[in-house]
Amino acid sequence: MFPAMDTHSPVTQTRPQSPAPSADTAPVDAARTTAVEPRGLSAFLVIAFAFSWTAWWAGGLLLQGGDPMPAVIAGGFGPMVAAVVVTAATQGRAGVGALFRRYSIGRRGALLPYAIALLALLAIAGAAAIPIYLGDTALDRDLLRTALMTVPAQFVLIALAGGGNEELGWRGFALPRLQGVLSPTAANVMLGAIWAVWHAPLFAMAGTLQADMYFPAYALLCVGLTVILGNVFNSARGGVLAPVLAHAAINVVSGLKAVVAGSPAGAVEVALVGLVAVALVVVTRGRLGLPRSGRAG
């Protein structure tokens, strides 16, 4: 029996409370997604390659016999430009805003992404130390000291316009779309191959680092570094700031290695970087830090 209701007393009616949104029903923050549908990926690749290769081709013609770095830097913005253009066309202003929010710092995996990046730096440094330890290369301490003095300026320049600027395109746009249709390991291996081919024109441009490298070895190095940077990105919960800093540090240490060991990308470096990449795949069981939901939360 229900108690009788007093019709003369005011009755306060309350609305049923909705359950708090769960992790599965809460709105997805596009700035933290690490696996999405591959919409726009083909257009991104076309624009990135067209922009970069045109800049490098034109630069090679205009700067014959001169310093190729202005052209190299200009072409390096291809992935970023492509990411912004395609995002604006497919998702509008809100999508572009979410793309650039990937640079945000808050709740981005704490120190883990940087610890993963450190493994790559140790591998490259080890590739310089081994021939010195074995006596195959003599260490020029004065040359190394001079090179170390330029590291802070080089790091900032590379982060802004010498490699770090690529990350909004490669990791911020392309990788989540590849991870939306492929396993994390396969997605990063494919992106590494794409990254290597994207650099191809630089091998024919005198004065670039790539001009002194063997392309197959360079391609393997790109794949290994992409696997590592992919783990950095996923561990940073979809943030690109950690990959930017990691990319800049890798380029700086690679430059120092070239000064010390006289080889920008030798077999030892390829092997050690590849070993780190394989170890990360094994330790993460192929996930490379990618959440099962594809969201970084």
Side-chain angles (χ1 to χ4, degrees):
M1 293 290 292
F2 292 101
M5 180 180 294
D6 184 355
T7 58
H8 298 288
S9 301
V11 178
T12 301
Q13 296 183 350
T14 57
R15 295 181 181 178
Q17 295 182 349
S18 300
S22 65
D24 294 329
T25 60
V28 175
D29 183 355
R32 294 178 178 274
T33 52
T34 47
V36 298
E37 294 182 359
R39 183 185 181 194
L41 182 58
S42 296
F44 163 82
L45 293 174
V46 169
I47 296 172
F49 273 71
F51 184 100
S52 299
W53 285 17
T54 299
W56 292 335
W57 172 77
L61 293 179
L62 296 174
L63 301 171
Q64 288 184 2
D67 185 359
M69 287 311 298
V72 173
I73 290 174
F77 282 91
M80 174 184 280
V81 170
V84 173
V85 169
V86 175
T87 301
T90 57
Q91 300 176 30
R93 183 179 299 179
V96 174
L99 180 67
F100 278 96
R101 284 201 309 276
R102 288 190 181 274
Y103 284 112
S104 66
I105 300 174
R107 297 187 296 113
R108 292 294 190 182
L111 296 178
L112 179 58
Y114 303 97
I116 296 169
L118 180 61
L119 297 177
L121 302 182
L122 292 175
I124 297 170
I130 289 175
I132 294 174
Y133 177 78
L134 295 177
D136 297 332
T137 301
L139 176 61
D140 188 331
R141 297 183 183 277
D142 292 334
L143 184 61
L144 177 60
R145 189 178 299 109
T146 301
L148 287 172
M149 292 177 62
T150 67
V151 163
Q154 285 189 32
F155 183 86
V156 173
L157 177 62
I158 292 171
L160 296 176
N165 53 311
E166 301 171 23
E167 290 303 318
L168 191 67
W170 297 134
R171 247 61 60 180
F173 184 94
L175 183 56
R177 284 157 178 78
L178 287 171
Q179 290 185 151
V181 291
L182 298 172
S183 70
T185 299
N188 280 280
V189 169
M190 177 173 288
L191 184 59
I194 292 170
W195 191 31
V197 174
W198 176 75
H199 283 96
L202 299 181
F203 285 80
M205 188 181 295
T208 64
L209 290 175
Q210 286 80 5
D212 297 325
M213 298 181 189
Y214 184 50
F215 182 78
Y218 182 81
L220 290 174
L221 184 63
C222 282
V223 170
L225 289 175
T226 300
V227 169
I228 297 170
L229 289 172
N231 199 350
V232 170
F233 171 77
N234 289 331
S235 299
R237 300 176 180 177
V240 297
L241 183 58
V244 165
L245 298 178
H247 195 146
I250 287 169
N251 282 14
V252 168
V253 174
S254 295
L256 291 174
K257 173 187 172 292
V259 169
V260 172
S263 173
V268 176
E269 181 178 352
V270 173
L272 291 179
V273 169
L275 183 62
V276 171
V278 171
L280 289 174
V281 171
V282 172
V283 169
T284 65
R285 298 183 180 181
R287 298 298 299 174
L288 295 174
L290 182 72
R292 290 288 175 182
S293 62
R295 296 173 52 186

